[in-house]
Amino acid sequence: MARVFVEGSKVRLALSSGERFFGFHKSPTANLSDVVKVERIDHFWKYAGWRGIRAPGTGIPGIVGLGTWRKLGSKTFCAVYKKEPGFKITLKNNEFAAWLFSAPEIPEELAKLLR
């Protein structure tokens, strides 16, 4: 399961080796100053903000979503599993417009931005 870490002025979504392999991407990073907002998501498979075409990555609806989801003009990195809750981190000035990931908690520095 992906974990988010704040390391100085950077935020990193640390992926396991399996997530890197099946998501076709290394662990994404961003500047802490580029985090626009953080949202708690209770059920990703019913979340309307997750749209687009998986390319590249691995996806089995209702089971796993790993990799890049693309829609017109933006990309979202996903590491979501089954019915596990998680978070959406919205970014600016980054390769991805957002990260969606399953996780029980996030670091305190990001929890301050939780809306």
Side-chain angles (χ1 to χ4, degrees):
M1 180 179 294
R3 298 281 186 226
V4 67
F5 295 98
V6 175
E7 301 163 336
S9 64
K10 297 278 187 186
V11 179
R12 181 172 60 95
L13 185 61
L15 304 175
S16 69
S17 58
E19 288 171 327
R20 288 191 303 272
F21 180 79
F22 289 106
F24 295 94
H25 202 281
K26 62 183 180 180
S27 297
T29 61
N31 292 321
L32 187 56
S33 61
D34 290 340
V35 174
V36 175
K37 69 178 174 179
V38 179
E39 300 172 73
R40 178 117 175 111
I41 308 294
D42 292 322
H43 196 295
F44 283 108
W45 302 104
K46 293 180 181 177
Y47 176 58
W50 181 16
R51 297 286 183 254
I53 298 170
R54 176 183 37 85
T58 301
I60 302 171
I63 306 294
V64 65
L66 285 172
T68 303
W69 263 252
R70 299 170 188 266
K71 63 181 179 181
L72 191 61
S74 70
K75 297 189 301 185
T76 299
F77 186 83
C78 300
V80 301
Y81 301 95
K82 298 184 182 176
K83 295 180 181 176
E84 296 178 15
F87 296 91
K88 176 184 179 184
I89 298 178
T90 304
L91 303 164
K92 63 179 180 182
N93 304 324
N94 192 273
E95 173 186 7
F96 296 103
W99 299 340
L100 296 174
F101 58 96
S102 296
E105 58 188 33
I106 57 173
E108 188 176 311
E109 295 92 339
L110 292 174
K112 294 176 187 175
L113 301 171
L114 195 59
R115 293 183 189 173

